[in-house]
């Protein structure tokens, strides 16, 4: 993620002070300066609104150019690289001022460095240096940014020379920003550079009395504290953090304050001062909440920016809350447990927002707390902490806490291996793969997650277990956990929820209702095969290495999925589009794609359901994107059942379903599903019967929940991995038959899974366990 110190420096290079009546209409200069102030407080969207107001006010050509540059720099900080590139290029091309032009070229150099385009980055830095002329300050800034573009600096001489140049800058504020910038660059290098970073920061600290910018003083103290903490110098780091916290009383820089309080929490935790650590982590969480809307959504290796950077703060707070609750009783214990669970809920909510591509996307949706709707259901809330597993179980409105001494690493490895083994068994030749290889792993997870709570579940006569999985546990089909004698599904109906709230507001089971159902599926794809991503076309066209062509195709697709979701980025490169077109021009390529991506069982499945349900059927050429949209727009359906190839990945942008004629992106899907909300009813169930999630990607199962959530649906049913057409058809027909007999959704799925479990040919959990119900289980 781009350095805050760096981007604020880029942004504020040509700003001026706001003076005069605060109620008067702001000039362009004042608006841009106000945008900078908002940015420095971490309010990026408000800053963006301020700049957009300038662009909408018919500014002069010069003002417009500056506004473009300001907006581009803001978007760069928000990680919206494509939009940032567009506005920075507009600023660079339209500016007549060489100094400003140099600044925009510098920003473009930073952008291309951030996006891994080192050659373009270097070109723009060279352009910026040529345009900067005799401007010492701007030249120095460009050189510092240019240093970041070097994969590994070979010696200290270059940065040392810049350190000398910084000392000649007259302004204490400006000089301090350069020292901070140099320190950030040096800290990213090897140990000798780390010492240079400390030297640079100490030089800045020697002149701290000359700095008249409280925000800048905070940044300096924060950076100094950071470098002491990294070297294990905890007393020094703590003293600097305390000094910064006192100074921060005069600012509203939540983004800096959260770093300061988080560091205090880590240090107090290291020193064994739990109460002080709890207080510091709590303050850090409050500061994150203040700027949560402005935290950029970005992905690296399939992981969201929030999960990697902010979630550890919430986990640290939860760690100490749960440690405290273990020594409490009665109402005090319940309050602490509620707060701990609410803290973890913030992580889950933001992960869903990241998956869907933006903040605020699930605010305002009417939902109902899980533990208040079903007396015969228990809510199992595992919290994975580095040193232990905490199980929070609600039966009614009381939360019970169970602590299991197993490390996060052990849980991660076991859950990942179990998910892999269950997926693999369906495709691997059974003669070389042990059909019960999964069993030991399944029993381990049962011992850690279910055994500690099972006596209390039995006492309460629990019939439905609602699991809110954490992280890697989202990959695990809980129905397949085994106690050594029987599977969990033989004892309880199992449902999954992304958090402590139902997806939709309605909690009525509506028994005896003849659900109106839209059945849509593709058994033999049409022109959609020409619009698939290159990675999928390439995988499917790969020659089979045995007579079992279908199995080989599935293995190829799975291999491609694995590579794709490890951030190969092949979906964004124009050369791959050209490669895709070349593949499709091969003799028989389209026919081969259609054959290998066929799902004969879909026709059997939908025809069977067609006799069971009050429905509208869209099969093959009738399941076009337009027909699908028209049906959803014109008719109120309680169930939407989609049987076609579909792939859920780390984020909604890379997830899609195959209609007959085109690819249906998740954003389009939820728009279609929500198109008839004016008819005053909710979709009760979305079913994806032939889809799969990306292997090993614990965010991918959020796809079911994400689509249902944005469509205001009550629940979703889908598969973690593809199973045989025959097994899928059997489980779907059985599920809907039991649903029509007034069983709940969770119990209907349980009974359908038990039917396969009793079938000698399909008793292995790889066949029946991947189907999971997400959301309302009633």
């Amino acid at each position: 993620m781009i350095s805050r110190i760096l981007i604020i420096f880029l942004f504020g290079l040509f700003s001026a002070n706001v003076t005069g009546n605060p109620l008067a209409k702001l000039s362009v200069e004042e608006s841009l300066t106000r945008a900078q102030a908002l940015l420095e407080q971490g309010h990026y969207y408000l800053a963006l609104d301020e700049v957009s107001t300038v662009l909408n006010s018919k500014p002069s050509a010069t003002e417009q150019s500056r506004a473009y540059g300001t907006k581009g720099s803001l978007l760069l900080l928000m990680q919206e690289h494509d939009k940032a590139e567009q506005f920075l290029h507009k600023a660079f091309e339209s500016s007549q001022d060489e100094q400003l032009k140099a600044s925009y070229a510098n920003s473009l150099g930073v952008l291309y460095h951030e996006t891994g385009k080192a050659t373009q980055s270097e070109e723009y830095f060279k352009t910026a240096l040529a345009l900067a002329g005799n401007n010492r300050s701007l030249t120095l800034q460009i050189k510092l940014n240019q240093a970041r573009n070097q994969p590994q600096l070979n010696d200290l001489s270059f940065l040392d020379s810049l350190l000398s140049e910084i000392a000649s800058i007259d302004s204490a504020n400006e000089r301090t920003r350069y020292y901070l910038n140099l320190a950030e660059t040096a800290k990213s290098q090897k140990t000798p550079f780390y010492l240079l970073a400390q030297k640079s920061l100490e030089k800045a600290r020697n002149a701290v009395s000359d700095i008249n910018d409280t925000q800048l003083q905070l940044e300096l103290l924060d950076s100094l504290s950071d470098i002491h903490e990294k070297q294990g110098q905890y007393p020094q780091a703590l003293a600097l953090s305390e000094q910064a916290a006192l100074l921060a009383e005069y600012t509203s820089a939540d983004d800096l304050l959260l770093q300061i309080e988080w560091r205090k929490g880590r240090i107090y935790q290291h020193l064994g001062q739990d109460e002080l650590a709890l207080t510091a982590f709590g303050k850090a969480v409050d500061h994150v909440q203040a700027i949560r809307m402005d935290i950029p959504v970005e992905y690296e290796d399939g992981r969201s920016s929030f999960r990697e950077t902010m979630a550890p703060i919430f986990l640290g707070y939860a760690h100490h809350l749960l440690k405290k609750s273990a020594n409490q009783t009665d109402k005090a214990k319940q309050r602490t447990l509620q707060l701990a669970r609410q803290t973890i809920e913030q992580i889950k909510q933001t992960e869903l927002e990241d998956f869907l591509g933006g903040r605020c996307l699930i605010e305002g949706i009417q939902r109902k707390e899980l533990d208040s709707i079903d007396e015969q259901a228990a809510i199992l809330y595992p919290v994975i902490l580095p040193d232990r597993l905490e199980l929070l179980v609600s039966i009614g409105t009381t939360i019970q806490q169970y602590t299991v001494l197993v490390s996060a690493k052990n849980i991660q490895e076991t859950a990942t291996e179990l998910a892999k083994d269950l997926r693999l068994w369906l495709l691997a030749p059974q003669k070389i793969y042990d059909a019960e290889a999964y069993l030991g792993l399944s029993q381990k997870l049962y011992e850690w997650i279910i055994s500690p709570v099972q006596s209390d579940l039995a006492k309460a006569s629990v019939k439905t277990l609602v699991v809110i999985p954490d992280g890697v546990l989202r990959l695990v089909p809980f129905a397949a956990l085994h106690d050594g004698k029987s599977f969990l599904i033989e004892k309880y109906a199992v449902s999954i929820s992304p958090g402590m709230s139902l997806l939709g507001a309605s909690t009525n089971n509506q028994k005896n209702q003849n659900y109106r159902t839209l059945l849509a599926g593709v058994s033999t794809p049409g022109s959609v095969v020409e619009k698939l991503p290159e990675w999928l076309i390439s995988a499917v066209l790969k020659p089979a290495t045995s007579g079992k062509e279908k199995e080989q195709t599935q293995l190829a697709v799975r291999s491609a999925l694995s590579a794709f979701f490890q951030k190969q980025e092949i979906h964004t490169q124009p050369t791959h589009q050209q490669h895709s077109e070349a593949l499709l021009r091969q003799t028989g390529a389209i026919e081969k794609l259609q054959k290998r991506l066929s799902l004969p069982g879909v026709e059997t499945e939908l025809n069977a359901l067609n006799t069971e349900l009050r429905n509208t059927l869209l099969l093959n050429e009738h399941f076009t994107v337009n027909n699908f949209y028209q049906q959803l727009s014109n008719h109120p359906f309680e169930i939407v059942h989609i049987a076609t190839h579909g792939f859920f990945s780390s984020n909604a942008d890379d997830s899609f379903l195959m209609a007959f004629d085109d690819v249906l992106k998740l954003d389009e899907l939820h728009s279609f599903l929500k198109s008839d909300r004016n008819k005053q009813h909710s979709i009760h169930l979305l079913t994806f019967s032939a889809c799969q999630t990306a292997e090993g990607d614990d965010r991918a199962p959020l796809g079911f929940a994400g689509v249902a959530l944005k469509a205001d649906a009550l629940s979703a049913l889908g598969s973690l991995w593809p199973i045989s057409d025959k097994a899928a058809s059997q489980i779907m027909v059985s599920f809907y038959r039991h649903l029509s007999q007034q069983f709940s959704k969770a119990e209907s799925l349980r009974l359908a899974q038990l039917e396969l479990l009793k079938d000698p040919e399909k008793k292995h959990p790889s066949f029946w366990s991947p189907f999971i119900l997400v959301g309302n289980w009633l």
Side-chain angles (χ1 to χ4, degrees):
M1 188 179 293
I2 190 169
S3 164
R4 180 187 186 280
I5 293 169
L6 169 61
I7 198 63
I8 289 177
F9 195 33
L10 287 171
F11 185 87
L13 188 61
F14 295 98
S15 63
N17 294 324
V18 176
T19 58
N21 181 2
L23 298 179
K25 183 178 179 181
L26 295 178
S27 67
V28 169
E29 189 71 43
E30 291 168 335
S31 288
L32 293 178
T33 304
R34 175 167 290 189
Q36 180 189 354
L38 289 166
L39 180 149
E40 292 182 0
Q41 295 166 20
H43 302 305
Y44 306 141
Y45 286 98
L46 291 176
L48 196 60
D49 287 344
E50 194 75 38
V51 178
S52 297
T53 299
V54 171
L55 288 171
N56 292 332
S57 66
K58 297 182 179 179
S60 67
T62 301
E63 292 169 339
Q64 184 183 57
S65 178
R66 290 193 55 196
Y68 283 149
T70 301
K71 187 169 185 177
S73 293
L74 259 169
L75 290 166
L76 176 55
L77 178 58
M78 295 166 71
Q79 306 299 317
E80 296 190 31
H81 293 119
D82 290 342
K83 292 179 182 178
E85 182 179 21
Q86 174 189 346
F87 281 99
L88 287 172
H89 272 296
K90 283 183 177 181
F92 179 76
E93 291 162 6
S94 62
S95 178
Q96 301 300 311
D97 185 304
E98 286 202 347
Q99 303 289 294
L100 282 172
K101 208 173 182 74
S103 173
Y104 304 144
N106 183 34
S107 294
L108 283 164
V110 172
L111 183 148
Y112 289 124
H113 167 71
E114 288 292 313
T115 53
K117 300 174 181 176
T119 301
Q120 287 172 272
S121 178
E122 188 62 25
E123 287 175 0
Y124 275 98
F125 284 138
K126 287 178 180 178
T127 300
L129 284 171
L131 291 167
N134 297 323
N135 187 323
R136 279 193 311 160
S137 180
L138 180 55
T139 299
L140 182 56
Q141 181 189 346
I142 296 165
K143 287 180 179 179
L144 283 166
N145 292 335
Q146 194 175 25
R148 292 171 179 268
N149 202 40
Q150 307 303 315
Q152 190 65 264
L153 296 172
N154 295 321
D155 55 52
L156 294 168
S157 59
F158 180 65
L159 287 183
D160 258 335
S161 67
L162 295 182
L163 197 61
S164 302
E165 288 185 42
I166 293 172
S168 65
I169 299 296
D170 294 331
S171 165
N173 285 10
E174 193 175 341
R175 192 166 61 246
T176 300
R177 285 210 181 277
Y178 287 129
Y179 281 132
L180 284 167
N181 195 324
L182 188 147
E184 288 297 306
T185 300
K187 279 195 286 186
S188 66
Q189 303 295 324
K190 296 175 291 188
T191 303
F193 292 85
Y194 209 73
L195 298 175
L196 178 64
Q198 188 164 352
K199 180 180 177 182
S200 180
L201 292 173
E202 291 296 344
K203 282 183 175 291
R205 192 183 187 190
N206 290 337
V208 70
S209 59
D210 298 326
I211 302 172
N212 58 15
D213 184 335
T214 303
Q215 183 92 7
L216 190 54
Q217 290 176 338
L218 266 178
E219 290 178 29
L220 174 58
L221 290 170
D222 178 56
S223 193
L224 277 166
S225 180
D226 173 63
I227 209 163
H228 282 296
E229 183 195 14
K230 283 183 168 63
Q231 295 180 100
Q233 299 165 349
Y234 298 117
Q236 298 94 316
L238 187 58
L240 287 163
S241 294
E242 294 286 10
Q243 185 181 343
L246 288 173
L247 181 62
E249 293 179 7
Y250 306 99
T251 74
S252 58
D254 290 291
D255 54 343
L256 276 174
L257 286 165
L258 76 86
Q259 294 286 354
I260 291 164
E261 293 296 343
W262 184 16
R263 184 174 297 109
K264 285 170 59 180
R266 292 195 302 267
I267 295 171
Y268 283 132
Q269 181 174 317
H270 179 81
L271 298 175
Q273 300 180 42
D274 288 344
E275 283 298 322
L276 292 173
L278 176 63
T279 300
F281 275 113
K283 289 180 179 178
V285 165
D286 289 341
H287 292 304
V288 174
Q289 294 294 72
I291 63 167
R292 187 177 68 86
M293 301 289 294
D294 295 294
I295 297 172
V297 176
E298 81 174 309
Y299 301 97
E300 184 172 351
D301 297 330
R303 298 178 181 181
S304 73
S305 53
F306 181 90
R307 178 159 152 185
E308 294 304 294
T309 58
M310 299 291 106
I313 300 174
F314 288 81
L315 286 173
Y317 189 36
H319 162 81
H320 286 283
L321 286 170
L322 292 168
K323 195 172 181 180
K324 179 179 180 179
S325 66
N327 298 312
Q328 293 178 307
T329 58
D330 303 327
K331 291 183 179 179
K333 184 181 184 73
Q334 289 300 303
R335 285 194 297 268
T336 304
L337 290 174
Q338 285 279 3
L339 182 55
R341 197 170 67 179
Q342 289 166 10
T343 300
I344 300 298
E345 280 291 288
Q346 293 301 320
I347 300 176
K348 296 183 184 299
Q349 176 179 330
T350 308
E351 280 193 309
L352 259 176
E353 291 171 338
D354 277 10
F355 175 87
L356 296 170
R359 304 286 175 234
C360 243
L361 293 175
I362 60 176
E363 296 286 353
I365 295 176
Q366 294 184 358
R367 292 175 287 167
K368 190 175 180 69
E369 290 298 300
L370 299 184
D371 51 12
S372 62
I373 69 167
D374 187 353
E375 293 180 354
Q376 292 184 307
I379 314 301
L380 175 59
Y381 202 108
V383 180
I384 301 173
L385 297 171
D387 62 336
R388 68 193 191 279
L389 173 67
E390 294 279 5
L391 302 172
L392 305 182
V393 179
S394 299
I395 303 174
T397 57
T398 301
I399 306 175
Q400 297 291 335
Q401 178 184 9
Y402 308 82
T403 302
V404 183
L405 297 180
V406 56
S407 70
K409 183 175 182 289
N410 207 346
I411 294 172
Q412 172 92 21
E413 291 174 351
T414 304
T416 302
E417 192 66 23
L418 174 61
K420 185 183 78 173
D421 281 0
L422 289 174
R423 285 173 176 250
L424 180 63
W425 190 82
L426 283 176
L427 295 179
Q430 296 180 23
K431 62 183 180 181
I432 64 168
Y433 191 80
D434 183 359
E436 295 188 350
Y438 73 91
L439 200 53
L441 300 166
S442 176
Q443 289 174 355
K444 274 188 182 181
L445 288 179
Y446 192 102
E447 179 186 348
W448 296 333
I449 300 172
I450 305 299
S451 292
V453 307
Q454 61 185 0
S455 62
D456 287 335
L457 298 180
K459 288 176 186 176
S461 300
V462 167
K463 291 187 176 180
T464 303
L465 188 61
V466 183
V467 185
I468 304 176
D470 189 19
V472 70
L473 293 179
R474 285 193 288 250
L475 296 172
V476 174
F478 276 78
L481 297 191
H482 201 278
D483 66 358
K485 296 180 180 179
S486 60
F487 291 102
L488 187 65
I489 198 67
E490 297 180 75
K491 300 176 183 178
Y492 308 101
V494 179
S495 177
I496 303 297
S497 180
M500 273 302 297
S501 297
L502 283 175
L503 297 181
S506 173
T507 59
N508 294 325
N509 196 14
Q510 297 194 9
K511 293 179 180 179
N512 299 313
Q513 178 171 343
N514 190 6
Y515 289 119
R516 290 161 295 188
T517 304
L518 176 61
L519 301 173
V522 176
S523 63
T524 303
S527 56
V528 65
V529 298
E530 302 175 47
K531 301 168 186 177
L532 296 174
E534 185 274 336
W535 57 268
L536 184 53
I537 292 174
S538 180
V540 176
L541 291 179
K542 187 179 296 184
T545 58
S546 78
K548 296 182 178 180
E549 184 176 277
K550 185 172 183 180
E551 285 82 351
Q552 288 297 323
T553 300
Q554 290 178 331
L555 282 168
V557 171
R558 179 166 296 177
S559 175
L561 278 168
S562 179
F564 173 68
F565 294 121
Q566 288 174 15
K567 202 176 179 183
Q568 300 299 316
E569 295 189 346
I570 54 182
H571 59 307
T572 62
Q573 303 298 329
T575 55
H576 288 282
Q577 179 61 36
Q578 296 167 6
H579 185 213
S580 176
E581 293 171 358
L583 287 171
L584 291 170
R585 285 195 297 269
Q586 296 176 6
T587 303
I590 291 175
E591 292 78 7
K592 188 178 291 185
L593 282 169
Q594 290 172 328
K595 180 180 179 182
R596 291 189 173 183
L597 288 172
S598 66
L599 293 168
V602 164
E603 191 163 349
T604 303
E605 175 185 322
L606 294 189
N607 285 334
L609 293 178
N610 197 25
T611 63
E612 294 274 349
L613 302 168
R614 175 187 170 198
N615 69 81
T616 298
L617 176 63
L618 299 177
L619 180 61
N620 289 332
E621 65 270 16
H622 299 291
F623 179 20
T624 64
V625 171
N626 186 59
N627 282 351
F628 186 63
Y629 172 72
Q630 290 299 325
Q631 287 294 331
L632 289 170
S633 297
N634 297 329
H635 305 285
F637 295 105
E638 281 81 35
I639 295 176
V640 177
H641 179 103
I642 303 173
T644 183
H645 281 297
F647 303 98
F648 292 96
S649 77
S650 296
N651 59 78
D653 289 342
D654 292 327
S655 303
F656 65 90
L657 302 172
M658 287 170 53
F660 183 80
D661 63 331
D662 207 345
V663 166
L664 190 58
K665 289 283 195 177
L666 256 58
D667 273 349
E668 297 169 328
L669 178 61
H670 74 67
S671 297
F672 292 169
L673 293 169
K674 208 168 183 177
S675 62
D676 62 350
R677 289 292 76 82
N678 60 326
K679 295 183 174 62
Q680 301 300 312
H681 82 285
S682 295
I683 291 177
H684 284 244
L685 177 65
L686 287 174
T687 300
F688 304 98
S689 74
C691 299
Q692 71 179 94
T693 57
E695 186 171 351
D697 183 347
D698 63 30
R699 285 168 42 84
L702 292 176
F704 303 150
V707 175
L709 187 70
K710 292 188 76 173
D712 291 346
L714 301 187
S715 50
L717 176 62
S719 178
L720 292 172
W721 59 82
I723 63 175
S724 71
D725 292 354
K726 188 176 180 181
S729 176
Q730 185 176 338
I731 207 166
M732 287 293 103
V733 171
S734 177
F735 168 77
Y736 285 112
R737 184 176 68 251
H738 287 105
L739 192 63
S740 68
Q741 294 170 355
Q742 304 181 30
F743 289 101
S744 70
K745 296 169 195 167
E747 183 64 14
S748 295
L749 178 60
R750 174 178 178 266
L751 293 171
Q753 289 174 318
L754 289 177
E755 282 187 19
L756 262 70
L757 177 58
K758 294 172 183 176
D759 183 336
E761 294 183 357
K762 302 183 187 72
K763 65 180 181 179
H764 194 281
S766 292
F767 286 106
W768 50 263
S769 71
F771 280 98
I772 59 172
L773 178 70
V774 179
N776 189 327
W777 63 91
L778 295 176

